[in-house]
Amino acid sequence: MTFLQFIQLQFKSKIRSVSLGRDLIAGIFLLIVILLFLGYVVLISVSLPFIIRSFFAIDDPVGFINSYILFFFATEFLYRFFLQKLPVAELQHYLHLPIPRWKIVHFLLQRSFISLLNFIAILLLVPFTIVEVAGHYGALSAISWLGTIVFISWTVHWITLVFKRGIGDRVIGYMIMLSVYLLSFGAQYYGWYNIGEWVKPFFDLAITSPLPIGMAFLLFTGSYFGAFKYYRNRAYEEEIGDKGKNFVESSQIDFLSRFGTAGAFADMEWKLILRHKKSRSYLYISALFLLYALTFYPTFDLAESAVDRHFSLFVGLFITGSFLYNYGQFNLSWNSASFDYFLVQKNGIESIIQGKAILFIAISMICYLLSLPYVYFGLEILFIHTAAFIFNIGVGIPLLTFISFWKPKPMDINKSAMFNYEGIGAAQFLMVIPMIAIPYIIYLPFALTMGYESGLTVLTLFGLIGIILYRQITRFLINRLYKKRYGISSSFRQEI
Amino acid sequence: MITINSLKKAYEETTVLDIPELTISQSQCFGLVGNNGAGKTTLLRLILDLIRATTGEVQIEGENVSKGESWKKITGAYLDDHMLLGYLTPDEYFDVLRKVHKMSDADLKLHNERFENFFNGEILGQKKYIRDLSKGNKKRVGISAAFFGNPQLVLLDEPFESLDPSSQIRLKKIVEKEKEEKSTTFMISSHDLDHVTEICERVVLLEKGLIIQDISGTREDKFEALNIYFSG
């Protein structure tokens, strides 16, 4: 087998993948996102020489870039860490065939190299190189300078592959990444020490000497063979998949058992969340969403500005419902592998809906409590978050459950959540609109005419009505799921 | 053909397989039986170097499977459907295998003719991806894939499971024919005592990772011995 044949197979597997092949909307959305992203990169790249000279008023743009290039690599490491992965699961399709193991590992590594991420450095810097470097120092210098940067950017590719495999999906990995990044930026910003300046001479030298590009090339090939060695030694079936597979931690949440069958389901769902890669990521993302308000509240003047107060409702809804929106958007899809089990179970449908509701309420409550310290930025936040929380509990949860019955898609919850469009259909794109629009439709007429307090009161009232009618609403949702069960279960079995 | 020396596989504290010594000779059909968790699949995986042995080694034709890789040229295997490429149609998959095994189109045609009966018109020329095939049909694709490139050793994990009765009988005929014409060595794990005692001249019984019986002799003898063990 040749590399070309391997790539052809990989290409086939991409275009025939269950999630993309069957869902045109998700495919188109992905394409738009990629094009948009590329558009931004090109835009930045073309205007980069201009920005540096005119906007930052820098006389020596190349020197400027050289002293900040380290942060570009740090940023690259960050997004590569989240987006990049080596498809090691592919190994099991080939290990028993008469293809040498080293060859398969080379294939996999080289295939991972064919990625848009590896063109970003080139795309971003080519216009700058032509205008600034080639224009002032000549073509050879330009090649040497750009080549040095590109080879180092590609070295980051291989390092990330090894780092990510070594650290895995553990929280510690995310922590290390964030702290390294923040620390280096913070240090630069506050002027404690400037690591950007330390590496600047190396890139300055690239303009006059071929030594840096040679060293960068050696780094690139060296890290490739390092990564190769690392993966070659681990190319066994038992290394594929989650590392902590055999390690089971029992984490019964006692208070859930008070709610009978529904509580047992909530507890089961909690275990599902903790024990699968995708759901765990969504839990982390929900936690990160709690920090989302930090980008708004410090700049808001809640006591004076009505617009800021109106916008804070959006933040409040998002924060108290961060788990609800993130995890809940897939709602039944999380159970797509075992949905038939609930259908044959006595009261299975009831316990799915009630169990999920209990879990959503419990976690929204935790999010709400964790959001209270934001009151530091103004007492108004307490009212806003409380109203948003009660509304999310009373109206948000049933509304989300109702929408999620609309054509749910099956998904494999063992896969990573990054750039994974499994389970996403039209409902997931449109879901957030009513979740945000409806509270505003209720809130704004009152807030604009009688002040934001009355808007919040009405919103709270709606939430309370929803809580009071909990039984009736749940019954309605259960009946609705009963009606739709055949369609949903056959879509989960991928029969459509 | 296969020589096993003090082979052991342990996950942390639990030993799942412990075989001090085992030799399987050429053109023998070697059957593996045992209840769930006895270590049948683990043994097959170790022979194929899909998992790492804790201690000891497996040799195929004198070559340590974890050191060299030329044994792969004479070995065919089908353990589970992870070994297939689910996003291809059976025809496309066979074409990939043809290239991997460096066979010509004529070779492939010959191969497919051998399995024509076994496929029963449900595999070739179908416009269906392997992942969408029924369990039995996936198994047929996988089993015939194991015979690509005229291997001298074929390993099959529960080949009779989920095949319909006619296919089971046809598979037995294929195994017997291969053994006779090409003196191929087989290693077959199975829960079906009937089939395994019929086609395998030697049956080894595993229990909790240990070989507790090594039975040869007439079909009746083997069947009897196994029956006593499993009813006990």
Side-chain angles (χ1 to χ4, degrees):
Chain A
M1 191 148 98
T2 65
F3 183 60
L4 192 71
Q5 282 163 359
F6 180 75
I7 288 298
Q8 281 167 350
L9 283 177
Q10 288 285 300
F11 182 68
K12 261 188 194 152
S13 96
K14 277 274 167 304
I15 54 172
R16 290 177 181 180
S17 86
V18 183
S19 50
L20 258 168
R22 292 185 192 190
D23 208 322
L24 201 63
I25 304 178
I28 292 171
F29 174 75
L30 186 60
L31 198 72
I32 292 175
V33 170
I34 290 174
L35 287 179
L36 218 64
F37 174 73
L38 281 181
Y40 278 126
V41 170
V42 170
L43 198 72
I44 294 172
S45 118
V46 172
S47 49
L48 193 63
F50 170 78
I51 294 174
I52 293 175
R53 268 194 194 278
S54 313
F55 188 73
F56 288 110
I58 304 283
D59 294 327
D60 176 21
V62 181
F64 177 76
I65 291 274
N66 284 348
S67 63
Y68 278 94
I69 195 79
L70 194 69
F71 298 103
F72 170 70
F73 295 135
T75 314
E76 258 208 315
F77 189 45
L78 195 73
Y79 64 65
R80 279 175 188 277
F81 179 78
F82 284 106
L83 302 180
Q84 218 173 266
K85 60 169 186 252
L86 196 70
V88 274
E90 290 289 316
L91 273 175
Q92 55 191 345
H93 308 309
Y94 300 100
L95 277 178
H96 65 292
L97 296 175
I99 313 166
R101 203 180 287 265
W102 58 264
K103 209 167 172 180
I104 310 172
V105 176
H106 272 308
F107 283 172
L108 284 178
L109 282 173
Q110 285 161 22
R111 183 240 165 279
S112 80
F113 195 68
I114 306 173
S115 151
L116 268 180
L117 298 181
N118 286 319
F119 290 95
I120 288 179
I122 301 178
L123 273 179
L124 209 53
L125 288 173
V126 159
F128 178 85
T129 313
I130 293 172
V131 174
E132 294 293 347
V133 190
H136 292 88
Y137 306 97
L140 266 181
S141 300
I143 292 168
S144 156
W145 184 78
L146 186 64
T148 309
I149 289 170
V150 168
F151 278 130
I152 290 179
S153 149
W154 288 349
T155 306
V156 177
H157 174 93
W158 305 122
I159 292 174
T160 317
L161 282 183
V162 173
F163 181 76
K164 195 170 175 185
R165 183 89 189 133
I167 283 288
D169 191 36
R170 279 172 288 173
V171 193
I172 179 98
Y174 295 80
M175 292 312 226
I176 292 177
M177 293 298 304
L178 273 175
S179 47
V180 164
Y181 191 70
L182 290 177
L183 214 65
S184 57
F185 252 121
Q188 177 102 349
Y189 185 79
Y190 289 108
W192 299 329
Y193 50 88
N194 187 343
I195 43 175
E197 284 296 327
W198 300 349
V199 297
K200 184 174 180 286
F202 180 76
F203 294 97
D204 286 343
L205 189 67
I207 290 176
T208 50
S209 152
L211 193 68
I213 190 173
M215 281 166 67
F217 181 73
L218 281 182
L219 264 178
F220 166 66
T221 44
S223 58
Y224 173 78
F225 283 104
F228 169 74
K229 217 173 157 202
Y230 182 85
Y231 278 99
R232 166 69 184 78
N233 289 333
R234 283 164 182 73
Y236 280 87
E237 258 185 11
E238 53 203 334
E239 302 268 352
I240 296 167
D242 255 338
K243 279 205 162 162
K245 203 154 116 195
N246 301 318
F247 177 66
V248 174
E249 198 179 359
S250 182
S251 48
Q252 191 95 20
I253 310 176
D254 282 331
F255 101 95
L256 286 177
S257 55
R258 286 195 217 161
F259 297 94
T261 331
F265 179 82
D267 183 49
M268 204 156 79
E269 183 91 349
W270 178 243
K271 289 200 176 87
L272 176 143
I273 293 172
L274 289 183
R275 291 177 188 179
H276 293 88
K277 209 172 177 178
K278 190 168 181 176
S279 45
R280 256 198 323 261
S281 313
Y282 274 92
L283 195 65
Y284 299 155
I285 293 170
S286 307
L288 276 179
F289 258 73
L290 289 176
L291 300 174
Y292 182 57
L294 276 181
T295 54
F296 298 107
Y297 286 158
T299 60
F300 277 11
D301 185 1
L302 290 167
E304 296 297 321
S305 162
V307 177
D308 283 357
R309 283 197 295 265
H310 298 331
F311 190 73
S312 299
L313 176 63
F314 170 77
V315 182
L317 284 166
F318 242 86
I319 285 192
T320 56
S322 76
F323 180 75
L324 185 64
Y325 299 156
N326 275 305
Y327 185 81
Q329 61 172 329
F330 296 116
N331 209 1
L332 293 175
S333 296
W334 293 110
N335 310 91
S336 62
S338 52
F339 190 68
D340 284 354
Y341 164 78
F342 294 105
L343 288 186
V344 298
Q345 205 72 356
K346 187 169 174 270
N347 293 334
I349 300 265
E350 281 87 344
S351 52
I352 277 197
I353 291 182
Q354 291 173 337
K356 280 185 191 265
I358 291 173
L359 198 69
F360 285 141
I361 293 170
I363 296 184
S364 295
M365 176 90 85
I366 294 169
C367 291
Y368 168 67
L369 293 176
L370 287 175
S371 79
L372 287 183
Y374 282 122
V375 173
Y376 171 76
F377 295 108
L379 197 61
E380 292 82 358
I381 288 174
L382 178 67
F383 306 136
I384 294 169
H385 281 199
T386 308
F389 168 65
I390 292 174
F391 181 82
N392 267 337
I393 296 288
V395 183
I397 294 173
L399 186 64
L400 185 102
T401 312
F402 180 77
I403 302 171
S404 71
F405 293 163
W406 186 45
K407 292 186 181 167
K409 302 264 185 310
M411 61 186 189
D412 180 356
I413 54 179
N414 281 311
K415 287 187 187 153
S416 140
M418 289 297 162
F419 272 62
N420 180 354
Y421 291 93
E422 246 176 27
I424 291 189
Q428 279 68 37
F429 286 114
L430 303 177
M431 197 174 267
V432 78
I433 298 173
M435 295 303 290
I436 296 298
I438 290 177
Y440 267 105
I441 291 172
I442 296 169
Y443 165 84
L444 276 180
F446 296 95
L448 292 178
T449 49
M450 293 181 279
Y452 87 105
E453 297 93 339
S454 51
L456 290 179
T457 313
V458 177
L459 203 62
T460 314
L461 227 58
F462 267 88
L464 287 175
I465 293 172
I467 295 172
I468 292 166
L469 294 178
Y470 174 76
R471 271 174 206 288
Q472 285 77 0
I473 294 174
T474 310
R475 186 67 1 233
F476 166 76
L477 290 171
I478 290 168
N479 287 337
R480 184 147 176 93
L481 187 54
Y482 262 116
K483 268 185 213 129
K484 305 196 89 174
R485 68 183 187 275
Y486 300 117
I488 292 175
S489 112
S490 88
S491 122
F492 283 168
R493 270 182 257 120
Q494 311 200 344
E495 287 170 351
I496 298 173
Chain B
M1 194 78 206
I2 304 178
T3 320
I4 291 173
N5 286 321
S6 56
L7 186 67
K8 209 181 242 184
K9 177 71 188 172
Y11 291 101
E12 275 147 40
E13 294 301 294
T14 30
T15 305
V16 292
L17 192 75
D18 185 1
I19 300 179
E21 212 184 353
L22 185 69
T23 312
I24 297 161
S25 42
Q26 174 93 39
S27 80
Q28 190 175 55
C29 178
F30 182 92
L32 263 181
V33 292
N35 286 329
N36 294 334
K40 301 184 297 292
T41 310
T42 308
L43 177 57
L44 293 175
R45 290 212 173 110
L46 282 167
I47 293 174
L48 288 168
D49 192 35
L50 294 174
I51 52 178
R52 270 178 283 212
T54 311
T55 59
E57 57 164 21
V58 178
Q59 288 181 356
I60 294 181
E61 294 281 60
E63 182 184 32
N64 183 336
V65 291
S66 65
K67 299 272 158 59
E69 292 195 80
S70 38
W71 57 271
K72 282 189 179 174
K73 291 199 185 78
I74 57 161
T75 308
Y78 183 65
L79 304 190
D80 55 34
D81 53 14
H82 290 305
M83 290 187 161
L84 303 170
L85 296 170
Y87 50 87
L88 300 179
T89 66
D91 293 274
E92 287 172 330
Y93 183 57
F94 291 151
D95 197 54
V96 169
L97 291 180
R98 179 184 71 76
K99 287 171 190 155
V100 168
H101 288 273
K102 301 188 177 68
M103 287 157 55
S104 68
D105 283 319
D107 291 336
L108 178 62
K109 223 177 138 225
L110 215 66
H111 180 271
N112 284 341
E113 275 165 14
R114 258 160 74 202
F115 284 86
E116 201 176 4
N117 236 335
F118 182 60
F119 287 157
N120 201 19
E122 288 168 55
I123 305 294
L124 298 176
Q126 300 287 315
K127 301 235 170 328
K128 237 182 177 182
Y129 298 143
I130 292 176
R131 67 166 180 243
D132 298 327
L133 294 177
S134 71
K135 259 186 170 178
N137 280 344
K138 267 184 205 160
K139 196 134 230 173
R140 290 195 229 189
V141 172
I143 289 173
S144 83
F147 284 88
F148 261 78
N150 291 322
Q152 293 166 38
L153 169 67
V154 176
L155 306 170
L156 299 172
D157 193 14
E158 314 231 6
F160 300 109
E161 190 200 32
S162 70
L163 284 184
D164 58 48
S166 329
S167 307
Q168 294 182 11
I169 292 164
R170 281 169 191 155
L171 176 61
K172 280 195 284 189
K173 284 201 181 117
I174 291 172
V175 169
E176 262 152 17
K177 200 165 159 224
E178 289 288 312
K179 241 173 28 178
E180 209 169 288
E181 290 174 3
K182 296 173 185 148
S183 52
T184 312
T185 313
F186 282 91
M187 188 154 183
I188 292 173
S189 85
S190 183
H191 288 309
D192 194 312
L193 305 180
D194 232 1
H195 291 319
V196 85
T197 50
E198 185 184 333
I199 53 170
C200 293
E201 44 282 61
R202 182 179 172 198
V203 177
V204 153
L205 179 59
L206 284 174
E207 187 186 273
K208 292 181 181 147
L210 302 169
I211 295 180
I212 55 165
Q213 282 190 46
D214 191 337
I215 320 161
S216 310
T218 66
R219 189 186 165 201
E220 285 69 31
D221 291 346
K222 286 178 285 186
F223 195 78
E224 192 58 33
L226 290 177
N227 232 343
I228 291 169
Y229 169 77
F230 283 109
S231 0

PDB file of all heavy atoms in Angstrom, chain B residues 91-102:
ATOM      1  N   ASP B  91     -16.828  -4.703  -2.306  1.00  0.00           N
ATOM      2  CA  ASP B  91     -15.968  -4.738  -3.500  1.00  0.00           C
ATOM      3  C   ASP B  91     -14.776  -3.797  -3.364  1.00  0.00           C
ATOM      4  O   ASP B  91     -13.642  -4.147  -3.686  1.00  0.00           O
ATOM      5  CB  ASP B  91     -16.773  -4.363  -4.740  1.00  0.00           C
ATOM      6  CG  ASP B  91     -17.814  -5.407  -5.068  1.00  0.00           C
ATOM      7  OD1 ASP B  91     -17.475  -6.369  -5.762  1.00  0.00           O
ATOM      8  OD2 ASP B  91     -18.947  -5.282  -4.577  1.00  0.00           O
ATOM      9  N   GLU B  92     -15.061  -2.584  -2.863  1.00  0.00           N
ATOM     10  CA  GLU B  92     -13.969  -1.619  -2.682  1.00  0.00           C
ATOM     11  C   GLU B  92     -12.958  -2.137  -1.669  1.00  0.00           C
ATOM     12  O   GLU B  92     -11.748  -1.995  -1.844  1.00  0.00           O
ATOM     13  CB  GLU B  92     -14.530  -0.276  -2.198  1.00  0.00           C
ATOM     14  CG  GLU B  92     -15.267   0.513  -3.246  1.00  0.00           C
ATOM     15  CD  GLU B  92     -15.949   1.732  -2.653  1.00  0.00           C
ATOM     16  OE1 GLU B  92     -16.341   1.692  -1.482  1.00  0.00           O
ATOM     17  OE2 GLU B  92     -16.105   2.711  -3.382  1.00  0.00           O
ATOM     18  N   TYR B  93     -13.483  -2.743  -0.604  1.00  0.00           N
ATOM     19  CA  TYR B  93     -12.584  -3.259   0.434  1.00  0.00           C
ATOM     20  C   TYR B  93     -11.684  -4.358  -0.127  1.00  0.00           C
ATOM     21  O   TYR B  93     -10.483  -4.386   0.121  1.00  0.00           O
ATOM     22  CB  TYR B  93     -13.402  -3.774   1.617  1.00  0.00           C
ATOM     23  CG  TYR B  93     -12.542  -4.253   2.762  1.00  0.00           C
ATOM     24  CD1 TYR B  93     -11.611  -3.398   3.349  1.00  0.00           C
ATOM     25  CD2 TYR B  93     -12.645  -5.545   3.254  1.00  0.00           C
ATOM     26  CE1 TYR B  93     -10.813  -3.809   4.390  1.00  0.00           C
ATOM     27  CE2 TYR B  93     -11.851  -5.975   4.302  1.00  0.00           C
ATOM     28  CZ  TYR B  93     -10.931  -5.099   4.874  1.00  0.00           C
ATOM     29  OH  TYR B  93     -10.136  -5.519   5.900  1.00  0.00           O
ATOM     30  N   PHE B  94     -12.283  -5.254  -0.906  1.00  0.00           N
ATOM     31  CA  PHE B  94     -11.479  -6.331  -1.494  1.00  0.00           C
ATOM     32  C   PHE B  94     -10.426  -5.763  -2.442  1.00  0.00           C
ATOM     33  O   PHE B  94      -9.329  -6.312  -2.554  1.00  0.00           O
ATOM     34  CB  PHE B  94     -12.378  -7.334  -2.233  1.00  0.00           C
ATOM     35  CG  PHE B  94     -13.253  -8.130  -1.303  1.00  0.00           C
ATOM     36  CD1 PHE B  94     -14.483  -8.613  -1.717  1.00  0.00           C
ATOM     37  CD2 PHE B  94     -12.841  -8.400   0.000  1.00  0.00           C
ATOM     38  CE1 PHE B  94     -15.286  -9.340  -0.856  1.00  0.00           C
ATOM     39  CE2 PHE B  94     -13.646  -9.127   0.871  1.00  0.00           C
ATOM     40  CZ  PHE B  94     -14.878  -9.594   0.435  1.00  0.00           C
ATOM     41  N   ASP B  95     -10.774  -4.669  -3.091  1.00  0.00           N
ATOM     42  CA  ASP B  95      -9.797  -4.071  -3.999  1.00  0.00           C
ATOM     43  C   ASP B  95      -8.621  -3.474  -3.221  1.00  0.00           C
ATOM     44  O   ASP B  95      -7.469  -3.558  -3.652  1.00  0.00           O
ATOM     45  CB  ASP B  95     -10.468  -3.007  -4.870  1.00  0.00           C
ATOM     46  CG  ASP B  95      -9.625  -2.664  -6.082  1.00  0.00           C
ATOM     47  OD1 ASP B  95      -9.276  -3.610  -6.819  1.00  0.00           O
ATOM     48  OD2 ASP B  95      -9.294  -1.482  -6.256  1.00  0.00           O
ATOM     49  N   VAL B  96      -8.916  -2.888  -2.061  1.00  0.00           N
ATOM     50  CA  VAL B  96      -7.843  -2.381  -1.205  1.00  0.00           C
ATOM     51  C   VAL B  96      -6.939  -3.539  -0.778  1.00  0.00           C
ATOM     52  O   VAL B  96      -5.712  -3.452  -0.862  1.00  0.00           O
ATOM     53  CB  VAL B  96      -8.430  -1.669   0.040  1.00  0.00           C
ATOM     54  CG1 VAL B  96      -7.333  -1.380   1.049  1.00  0.00           C
ATOM     55  CG2 VAL B  96      -9.123  -0.386  -0.354  1.00  0.00           C
ATOM     56  N   LEU B  97      -7.579  -4.638  -0.353  1.00  0.00           N
ATOM     57  CA  LEU B  97      -6.792  -5.803   0.076  1.00  0.00           C
ATOM     58  C   LEU B  97      -5.958  -6.351  -1.072  1.00  0.00           C
ATOM     59  O   LEU B  97      -4.827  -6.789  -0.884  1.00  0.00           O
ATOM     60  CB  LEU B  97      -7.718  -6.900   0.606  1.00  0.00           C
ATOM     61  CG  LEU B  97      -8.413  -6.592   1.924  1.00  0.00           C
ATOM     62  CD1 LEU B  97      -9.302  -7.762   2.317  1.00  0.00           C
ATOM     63  CD2 LEU B  97      -7.405  -6.338   3.025  1.00  0.00           C
ATOM     64  N   ARG B  98      -6.535  -6.323  -2.268  1.00  0.00           N
ATOM     65  CA  ARG B  98      -5.806  -6.803  -3.444  1.00  0.00           C
ATOM     66  C   ARG B  98      -4.499  -6.022  -3.586  1.00  0.00           C
ATOM     67  O   ARG B  98      -3.436  -6.595  -3.812  1.00  0.00           O
ATOM     68  CB  ARG B  98      -6.674  -6.623  -4.688  1.00  0.00           C
ATOM     69  CG  ARG B  98      -6.025  -7.067  -5.982  1.00  0.00           C
ATOM     70  CD  ARG B  98      -6.908  -6.765  -7.171  1.00  0.00           C
ATOM     71  NE  ARG B  98      -6.991  -5.342  -7.471  1.00  0.00           N
ATOM     72  CZ  ARG B  98      -6.024  -4.642  -8.068  1.00  0.00           C
ATOM     73  NH1 ARG B  98      -4.904  -5.232  -8.428  1.00  0.00           N
ATOM     74  NH2 ARG B  98      -6.168  -3.349  -8.295  1.00  0.00           N
ATOM     75  N   LYS B  99      -4.594  -4.682  -3.402  1.00  0.00           N
ATOM     76  CA  LYS B  99      -3.392  -3.865  -3.529  1.00  0.00           C
ATOM     77  C   LYS B  99      -2.426  -4.131  -2.386  1.00  0.00           C
ATOM     78  O   LYS B  99      -1.214  -4.215  -2.588  1.00  0.00           O
ATOM     79  CB  LYS B  99      -3.762  -2.382  -3.557  1.00  0.00           C
ATOM     80  CG  LYS B  99      -4.393  -1.965  -4.865  1.00  0.00           C
ATOM     81  CD  LYS B  99      -4.946  -0.560  -4.762  1.00  0.00           C
ATOM     82  CE  LYS B  99      -5.789  -0.216  -5.973  1.00  0.00           C
ATOM     83  NZ  LYS B  99      -6.765   0.832  -5.655  1.00  0.00           N
ATOM     84  N   VAL B 100      -2.975  -4.262  -1.175  1.00  0.00           N
ATOM     85  CA  VAL B 100      -2.120  -4.521  -0.013  1.00  0.00           C
ATOM     86  C   VAL B 100      -1.350  -5.822  -0.187  1.00  0.00           C
ATOM     87  O   VAL B 100      -0.167  -5.909   0.125  1.00  0.00           O
ATOM     88  CB  VAL B 100      -2.971  -4.562   1.277  1.00  0.00           C
ATOM     89  CG1 VAL B 100      -2.163  -5.116   2.436  1.00  0.00           C
ATOM     90  CG2 VAL B 100      -3.483  -3.181   1.605  1.00  0.00           C
ATOM     91  N   HIS B 101      -2.033  -6.837  -0.706  1.00  0.00           N
ATOM     92  CA  HIS B 101      -1.388  -8.142  -0.878  1.00  0.00           C
ATOM     93  C   HIS B 101      -0.685  -8.266  -2.226  1.00  0.00           C
ATOM     94  O   HIS B 101      -0.235  -9.350  -2.576  1.00  0.00           O
ATOM     95  CB  HIS B 101      -2.424  -9.258  -0.728  1.00  0.00           C
ATOM     96  CG  HIS B 101      -2.897  -9.450   0.672  1.00  0.00           C
ATOM     97  ND1 HIS B 101      -2.253 -10.263   1.565  1.00  0.00           N
ATOM     98  CD2 HIS B 101      -3.941  -8.912   1.350  1.00  0.00           C
ATOM     99  CE1 HIS B 101      -2.894 -10.237   2.725  1.00  0.00           C
ATOM    100  NE2 HIS B 101      -3.920  -9.417   2.624  1.00  0.00           N
ATOM    101  N   LYS B 102      -0.668  -7.159  -2.975  1.00  0.00           N
ATOM    102  CA  LYS B 102      -0.009  -7.135  -4.284  1.00  0.00           C
ATOM    103  C   LYS B 102      -0.506  -8.254  -5.195  1.00  0.00           C
ATOM    104  O   LYS B 102       0.257  -9.033  -5.755  1.00  0.00           O
ATOM    105  CB  LYS B 102       1.515  -7.227  -4.128  1.00  0.00           C
ATOM    106  CG  LYS B 102       2.071  -6.083  -3.302  1.00  0.00           C
ATOM    107  CD  LYS B 102       3.589  -6.054  -3.290  1.00  0.00           C
ATOM    108  CE  LYS B 102       4.097  -4.857  -2.526  1.00  0.00           C
ATOM    109  NZ  LYS B 102       3.812  -4.940  -1.058  1.00  0.00           N
TER     110      LYS B 102
END
